[in-house]
Structures are given as C-alpha cells and as structure tokens.
Amino acid sequence: MSNRYVIVLAAGQGTRMKSKLYKVLHPVCGKPMVQHVIENVQGIEVKKLITVVGHGAEKVQEVLAGKSQFVLQEEQLGTAHAVMQAKQLLKDQDGTTLVICGDTPLIKKETLEAMVDQHEMNGSHVTVLTAKADDPTGYGRIIRNEKGHVERIVEHKDATEEEKKVTEINAGTYCFDNRSLFSALDKVTNDNAQGEYYLPDVLEIIKKEGKTVSAYMTDDFSETLGVNDRVALSRAEKVMRKRINESHMKNGVTIIDPDQTYIDADVEIGSDTVIYPGTMIKGRTMIQSDCVIGPNTEIIDSSIGEMTTVRQSVVTESNIGRNVQIGPYAHIRPSSDIDDEVRIGNFVEIKKSTFGKGSKASHLSYIGDADVGQHVNIGCGTITVNYDGTNKHKTIIEDDAFVGCNSNLIAPVTIGKDAYVAAGSTITHNVPGQALSIARARQVNKENYSSKFKKKK
C-alpha cells in the first residue's frame, strides 16, 4: 500500500442554501456534513488530510480542529483551482491522493476504501467514482471509448445533446497518482462556459500523456448526492437516517416505525431495546439493552441504563440509571443524575439534581438544584424553591424522607433522614431526621358563614 493523502474541498459558499451557516457545516443526522466526510476518509489510513476552506473558514477549522490541516482558497475559481491550494503541502510526495467534496456526506468509507484499493492495484494514474443515474441532469457525464475505457468527463453545461443522454455520471470523487495530479493541474485552463478551472479536465490531460484513467462504479446512486440546497439536505438526511436505523435493527434493536424515528449518527443502542414512533435520539446518547423508548420522546446527549422506560418525555444531557420509569410527559433537564429503580412520573421536571435509588416523584413536581437521597417519596405538587431572583440554592432531601403533596421547600434547606413534611407545608428551616414538620396556617372554620354572607348580599 502506497502513502495515501486526502484533499477535502470545502471552500464553496453554498449560496443556494440561503443560510447564514456555512454550507458544509449544515448537519446531517446530528453531525456537520463535512465531519461525515472527514470520518469516512480516515478509514483508508490517511497519511495527510488537507481541507480546502474559503467562506466561513474559521468555523470549519473550529469543527475539524485536530482532524485536518487547512489551506485557504481566497477566490473560488473552480475545483482544479481549489486542489492547487494544497500544492505546497503535497507536490513532492509519492503516493495516492483522494480528492472528495465536503458536501458529499453519503459516500461510505467502504466505497472509498474499495475505490482506492482498485486504483492502486490497477496502477491507474486517475480513478473516478461513478454511478448510474435515472435522471443525470446537472451531473458531469462519463464518456467512454469503444473499449469501455474512460475517455473524458463532460460537464452538463458543456455537453452535447448526445452526451447528455449518457446515464453514467461523475460523482466528483477522484483518486490520483499524486505527482501526476499536480503536474497536470499546471496545464488546466478555464476555457469553458463558466470560466472556471475544472478538476475533471485533469483526466483528459493525464490521458493524453498516455497514462491510465479508470473508473470505480458504486451500485448505490445515493452515495453521489452533493448537498447544494435545502432539498438535497433533506434527501441526504432521509438516506442516512434509513442507514442508521437499519444498522440498529440489524444489531438487535426493534424500531416500530423507522420512517418516524430519528436517530443521530453517534447514538449507541443495546439489543432488545424497543423504539416507538415519534422518537428523536440525538448527539452522543447511549441507550443500553432492554429499554423502551417512546413514543414521542426526545433524548439528547444522555445515557440510559438497562430496562429503563422513557415515554413521551424529554431527557437532555443527563444520566438515567437501570430499571427507571420516566414519563409520560416528564422533563429531565441538563446535569441530572437519576439512580436505579427511580420513578419520575407525569409532568415532573428535574433540573441539575441527583435522585437516589428507589426514590419517586410520581406527578406534578419541580425538583431543581437538589440532592435527593434513596427511597424518598416526593408528593404531588412539590416544588424545590431554588431561585431567589439572583442566585440558585440547593435543597437536600436525605434517605427515606417523605414529602407530602403541595409542599414548598425554600432553599437552601435540608430535610433529614426519615423525616416527614406534612402536605401543604412551606418549609423555610431545616427539618431534623425522623421529625414531622408542619408549616401551614391553622385551619379555622366559621360556622354558618355562607348563610350570613348571602343574607348581606
């Protein structure tokens, strides 16, 4: 295997996206499309990876920091001109250079590896990735000679009517002998309809030098999709989502309706977990085995333990233990740590809190900035009053405590082990362990009040 280099073309502005966000940073299944490209090319054992940036260079470099070197294309004059920006880093190197666009997130690493292997095994000077298209409009056409060898690539704008009938298209990804590439780039001209320096022109130059030009055809046309507008972005999202869902199903996950289930690229899910429709699992979420997720649930950057159920709820940046019941309609906000065998019921909100093993908040409560011990029962309508208008304060509820319904715990405050808080109490001072705290006005009944009131009216 020769030395392998990669040039990722990511300098185009992407005006058709009509977005403030730089084109290659638009996410596909939770990850910027250029990051998909970078991760896929890393699978071919790259010695040097260079990304050509232009518009939005700083943001692209921030996303790809530590994964790539960068060169700047200050003026966008075509794909050949973009590749030329890497000349100082690669011109004297021997080996294979893969050139790929940063807006092609669907090209699989297996395809790239097979293409590069074929290129090197055949001793080709250029290998182009191709596919058959039902509708090749807009794509460059692969023109072959009578022996089936690649003769040239013609851009759609420059193609004759006969050439436009060709259905084999250029996917815009190439393998080059590195020295042949940079030698030929010096000879590319901009004598075409767009006045740009086209990278496909390199193939004809190399061919005229008597060197080998070949093609590697993928049987999956969707891999060739370049994302240039929001319509193509939605198509890429749909294709990748299908791949992701099928991969999880093959690994033992039940997805009831894959078309209505949205799982990001970096999510991990254990076997025998069941995902119901309307569920969105995002970021770097990890769900272990035998869980039930959904329907209509959103989980973001969180971990979910074995045999846990999350129904019609939202979990964000939190850790959920084993055999936990969450929902329906619960909201677990960031920095929450829910231990094993906990029950978080309907319309309960947890924020930046720990919840000990076996504890319960079954309905209609807000628990924020709190440490809740083990086997605590929190009654309906309980609120940890954590914010004084300037600062947040902590509530501590120790093991085996019982908090009655409609209680306000005014932080900072501690409810001791085995303590009881009577329903309807507003607690402003610490409650000792094993104590019963009653903090409400004494009930007074006014006899015959209603008849007297009506008489006055």
Side-chain angles (χ1 to χ4, degrees), residues 10 40 49 73 106-107 109-110 140 151 166 176 181 211 244 248 259 274 313 322 361 380-381 407:
N40 286 336
L49 197 163
Q73 185 187 23
L106 298 177
I107 299 180
K109 61 184 177 181
E110 294 83 2
E151 189 74 29
V166 174
F176 295 97
L181 168 63
K211 297 175 180 176
I244 291 168
H248 286 299
D259 290 337
V274 179
S313 297
R322 188 175 185 272
C380 174
S407 295

Side-chain angles (χ1 to χ4, degrees), residues 58-78:
E58 298 82 4
K59 292 181 179 178
V60 176
Q61 291 179 42
E62 183 179 337
V63 168
L64 302 181
K67 299 176 182 178
S68 175
Q69 294 179 258
F70 302 94
V71 293
L72 179 64
Q73 185 187 23
E74 294 182 0
E75 187 177 5
Q76 279 67 60
L77 298 177

